[in-house]
DNA sequence: CTGTTAGCGCATTCAT
DNA sequence: ATGAATGCGCTAACAG
């Protein structure tokens, strides 16, 4: 019963006696309106609690100032942090975000993109869950930036990754420096990042003249169902004195097994770092990904492509650096 | 260059020779269209990759099938989990969500609500950050459900809380059972939840005939700047043999101090639980909030109010139960 | 500096 | 069973 009458531009026009066009211009602070008129209109708008209908504006201008963010697994603290940075930077640049979580489900990803097209999103930021997908026909002319994982269409889109191989190598080197000589690894099969991290693991072994044993290289499934079993297998049966987990989700699943079975006598390494790793009973040496930078840069790259397409140049592949955090 | 021509209803009308109205009806599976016509149109729409413009539809129908979610601190794992549940349930009921994080900033909260009004959201789910605010005039007739924190307008809106006092009491009782006799507490001053949890703490002391010492009751600031100092103060200067932290953020800040100064010889309790608390070197007894249930129920309450306002009845205040997880 | 006109894409009367 | 016409709220030509 409060707002019996919704405040629109035409409502303001009626009340002030000027045309809708003038109201619109005044509200958008156009220089083509006399200052006194502007003042009067803006004052009234504030009094009446006018707020623009973003949907109508988006339709009219054919751009919604909204970024569609498609994330493969929001439960992963890494993505949570990236999304947070995306939202902050987007807000700063006067963009809104709509975040969709795909749970690593390729079908969901495609649906999400198409649904967001219906929202007339100005662009996408995507942590891709399907390696093989050709995004060009789906995205059409809509700008997009890919993060964390390389899409098939590298070359068509700006892509923002970290130096996965180097980071993994740093971790494994640290484990070796801590005395480990037989280091098991549980990597991820779903993302390109997992493959690169595995390559870094191998490089570290080679640099340290440790032999490569394929039987202590494991791959987690999407739901992490097999990680606990692999952990015991590596640390007990395979007698590993080191374990490298290739992402956050894998580490936590492995820690469950380590804690439950009170496994000790090995060095633990991980990709992805969280402040609360400091509190773990089993020390974990990890690389911290630049999540804030990744989210911030992604938005900047995207909005540049949206707002100044001519300035954007050819799509780039950027590699951000990671930081080693030694523990134990 | 791919989709040189965007597929709209009028485009489909041209290609099929029928009117836009028929296309619209067919696409919405109206019974007022011949089946064969429907089939033909739906098939073509699929072929051409037609997707409805949600903005146009929302404007026309005056409802966007979108839920505005306003969260006071998304970095808190508790809220992350609730939001996740909200998104899942909303998707199931064919609603979209737009999530805005206010960082406990009251000004941001108000802006967020007004901005989302511009998106014509069908309703709000709000973790309020301002105790004193009267939401009625801002929200108007838009349905809303409040979660985690009691708004001033209880009675006007469905509200979904946990049994804070009881949960805190359970934790403190457990600490006492573990042998603690002088339990310091760091609570939150911003939310109503913090006050209720403090009441639960006091109740537990009373039940166990422990005296209440106001000098070991502290309140965190919003940025948790003072928590580390309080932690040392309580555990060292005040010689507490127990510490109760009233939420996730407070616990983590306290753990920083505990870890840095290697503080031992006390029992730790907390509101909010995370799976990885299992891995901490200092065991923490905590209550797990029903985050999934809270998110799910919030969406159900809200969508009921949106879709069947007559069935919704008077606004309810619901208290969900929490589960104690003993450690140490 | 301001007004008039038109249309974004869609769903919905009211016709037929 | 289908079509014609209208308008949601806004901005962008085009006048003047």
């Amino acid at each position: 019963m409060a707002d019996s009458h919704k405040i629109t531009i035409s409502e303001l026009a009626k009340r002030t006696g000027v045309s809708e066009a003038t109201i619109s211009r005044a509200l958008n602070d156009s220089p083509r309106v006399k200052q006194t008129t502007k003042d009067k209109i803006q004052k009234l708008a504030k009094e009446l609690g006018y707020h623009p209908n973003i949907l109508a504006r988006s339709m009219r201008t054919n751009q919604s100032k909204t970024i569609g963010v498609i994330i493969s697994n929001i439960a992963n603290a890494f993505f949570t942090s990236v999304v947070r940075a995306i939202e902050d930077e987007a807000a700063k640049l006067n963009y809104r975000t709509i975040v969709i979580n795909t749970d690593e489900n390729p079908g969901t990803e495609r649906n999400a993109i198409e649904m967001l097209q219906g929202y007339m999103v100005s662009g996408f930021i995507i942590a891709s869950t399907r390696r093989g997908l050709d995004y060009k026909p789906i995205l059409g002319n809509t700008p997009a930036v890919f993060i964390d994982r390389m899409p098939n269409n590298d070359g068509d889109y700006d892509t923002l990754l970290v130096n996965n191989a180097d980071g993994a190598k740093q971790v494994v080197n640290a484990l070796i420096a801590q005395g480990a000589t037989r280091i098991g690894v549980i990597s991820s099969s779903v993302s390109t990042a997992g493959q690169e991290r595995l390559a870094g693991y191998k490089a570290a072994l080679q640099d340290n003249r440790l032999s490569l044993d394929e039987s202590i290289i494991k791959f987690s499934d999407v739901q992490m169902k097999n990680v606990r079993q692999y952990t015991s297998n590596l640390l007990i049966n395979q007698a590993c004195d080191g374990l490298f987990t290739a992402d956050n989700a894998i580490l936590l699943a492995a820690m469950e097994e380590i804690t439950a079975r009170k496994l000790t006598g090995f060095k633990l390494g991980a990709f992805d770092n969280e402040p609360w790793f400091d509190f773990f009973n089993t020390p974990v040496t990890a690389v911290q990904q630049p999540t804030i930078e990744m989210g911030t840069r992604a938005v900047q790259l995207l909005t540049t492509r949206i707002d100044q397409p001519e300035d954007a140049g050819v799509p780039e592949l950027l590699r951000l650096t990671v930081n080693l955090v030694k523990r134990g």
Side-chain angles (χ1 to χ4, degrees), chain A:
Chain A
M1 33 209 71
D3 46 356
S4 50
H5 225 50
K6 191 181 289 180
I7 306 300
T8 67
I9 280 189
S10 84
E11 177 69 19
L12 292 176
K14 274 184 211 134
R15 301 217 189 192
T16 52
V18 300
S19 73
E20 294 189 18
T22 300
I23 302 283
S24 174
R25 292 188 188 109
L27 259 20
N28 290 306
D29 209 33
S30 159
R32 300 172 44 194
V33 180
K34 212 199 318 179
Q35 190 60 45
T36 51
T37 317
K38 261 199 267 193
D39 290 343
K40 196 179 55 182
I41 292 172
Q42 289 173 354
K43 180 161 165 291
L44 182 67
K46 184 150 290 182
E47 275 175 21
L48 266 43
Y50 168 82
H51 290 281
N53 184 318
I54 315 268
L55 273 45
R57 171 187 291 167
S58 300
M59 264 188 65
R60 184 58 241 244
T61 62
N62 202 30
Q63 55 145 352
S64 64
K65 283 271 187 188
T66 301
I67 296 174
V69 182
I70 296 183
I71 293 297
S72 43
N73 179 11
I74 196 71
N76 187 324
F78 162 73
F79 284 120
T80 309
S81 177
V82 173
V83 168
R84 186 71 202 287
I86 288 172
E87 290 171 344
D88 288 349
E89 183 69 14
K92 209 173 288 175
L93 299 177
N94 204 26
Y95 274 80
R96 255 67 51 194
T97 55
I98 301 184
V99 181
I100 308 278
N101 177 48
T102 67
D103 275 317
E104 304 284 9
N105 183 330
T108 306
E109 179 172 321
R110 198 195 169 105
N111 287 340
I113 295 176
E114 293 175 340
M115 190 268 278
L116 288 174
Q117 306 264 31
Y119 274 88
M120 305 181 71
V121 294
S122 311
F124 286 98
I125 296 177
I126 302 176
S128 169
T129 202
R130 1 181 21 159
R131 176 59 175 149
L133 186 59
D134 181 12
Y135 285 92
K136 207 69 184 277
I138 308 177
L139 294 176
N141 298 319
T142 313
V145 172
F146 285 79
I147 59 170
D148 184 55
R149 300 159 182 205
M150 188 119 61
N152 234 21
N153 302 70
D154 55 313
D156 288 341
Y157 300 103
D158 289 315
T159 305
L160 214 43
L161 309 175
V162 299
N163 200 324
N164 287 300
D166 175 66
K169 193 169 141 184
Q170 285 188 54
V171 173
V172 177
N173 276 336
L175 297 183
I176 294 170
Q178 289 168 7
T181 58
R182 180 171 168 78
I183 301 172
V185 53
I186 307 177
S187 188
S188 163
S189 52
V190 7
S191 79
T192 57
Q195 300 164 29
E196 294 178 357
R197 289 168 197 178
L198 186 58
Y201 162 85
K202 290 180 180 174
L205 294 193
Q206 196 158 31
D207 283 5
N208 289 275
R209 303 185 189 284
L210 293 179
S211 63
L212 180 66
D213 181 353
E214 296 284 352
S215 64
I216 59 172
I217 298 178
K218 308 289 188 185
F219 292 93
S220 71
D221 59 327
V222 175
Q223 292 86 19
M224 307 289 142
K225 294 287 180 202
N226 55 10
V227 172
R228 287 190 62 163
Q229 177 195 329
Y230 285 153
T231 302
S232 277
N233 180 268
L234 291 171
L235 294 178
I236 301 175
N237 309 4
Q238 293 281 0
C240 290
D241 59 0
L243 176 63
F244 172 57
T245 57
D247 70 31
N248 240 329
I250 298 171
L251 173 70
L252 292 182
M255 281 295 295
E256 282 181 33
E257 184 74 1
I258 290 166
T259 303
R261 304 188 62 155
K262 301 194 199 312
L263 301 175
T264 57
F266 65 96
K267 300 299 178 183
L268 183 57
F271 217 97
D272 284 343
N273 184 59
E274 292 297 327
W276 31 269
F277 287 3
D278 281 338
F279 314 143
F280 282 7
N281 44 27
T282 303
V284 48
T285 290
V287 284
Q288 168 72 48
Q289 298 202 55
T291 52
I292 309 294
E293 188 186 356
M294 181 175 284
T296 308
R297 297 274 278 135
V299 173
Q300 291 167 346
L301 285 168
L302 184 63
T303 52
T304 302
R305 251 177 223 292
I306 294 168
D307 297 328
Q308 301 111 25
E310 62 289 351
D311 292 8
V314 296
E316 290 179 277
L317 171 61
L318 295 177
R319 293 270 182 187
L320 306 179
T321 58
V322 296
N323 276 310
L324 186 66
V325 180
K326 291 185 199 175
R327 294 190 188 87

